[in-house]
Amino acid sequence: MVLWVLTSRTSGQSVTQTPSRLAIKEGVAVFINCTYQYSGVAYLYWYVQHSHSEGPQLLLTEYTGKETGDAFFAEHLKADKTFHLRKEAGGLSDSAAYFCAVRDTVEETPDRAA
């Protein structure tokens, strides 16, 4: 089984995931590193995209709890700027691409032009 991990970078912030490709045995623990560089307050997300799906699906956020129904969990360690994804025992159904993402707290405000 192979878990695909993709790395992304955007302007003003970066997310690094390692390893970029991970082969595991059924029932063996899964650990995907996510380290980010961002100077503001960051909201963190993990997405998953299975080969049969149309696009990435939200797997978990730092605010939805540390564990999903699929037994994946992640903990945001702000001092270390990490949000590593873990699962105690991987399975064939976990074969997918996993994406770590960061979003800042700055929201666009509507123009108040009269």
Side-chain angles (χ1 to χ4, degrees):
M1 165 178 40
V2 175
L3 299 177
W4 295 97
V5 182
L6 304 178
T7 302
S8 65
R9 290 188 184 274
T10 58
S11 174
Q13 63 193 25
S14 69
V15 175
T16 303
Q17 295 175 219
T18 56
S20 61
R21 193 168 157 178
L22 176 65
I24 63 167
K25 293 181 180 178
E26 186 92 18
V28 174
V30 176
F31 188 86
I32 304 171
N33 293 298
C34 175
T35 304
Y36 65 94
Q37 294 300 317
Y38 188 75
S39 59
V41 177
Y43 293 105
L44 295 160
Y45 305 86
W46 272 102
Y47 290 89
V48 60
Q49 183 172 3
H50 295 279
S51 61
H52 60 274
S53 66
E54 292 182 21
Q57 303 294 315
L58 182 63
L59 180 63
L60 57 82
T61 75
E62 65 181 302
Y63 298 107
T64 57
K66 293 182 182 175
E67 188 170 328
T68 68
D70 293 332
F72 280 101
F73 62 98
E75 184 176 4
H76 183 192
L77 300 177
K78 294 178 184 179
D80 296 334
K81 295 188 176 184
T82 62
F83 192 51
H84 304 316
L85 185 66
R86 301 177 201 176
K87 186 172 184 180
E88 293 302 319
L92 186 59
S93 64
D94 298 320
S95 183
Y98 292 82
F99 307 88
C100 182
V102 62
R103 181 183 70 86
D104 63 25
T105 59
V106 178
E107 300 279 336
E108 285 188 42
T109 56
D111 260 347
R112 295 188 186 202

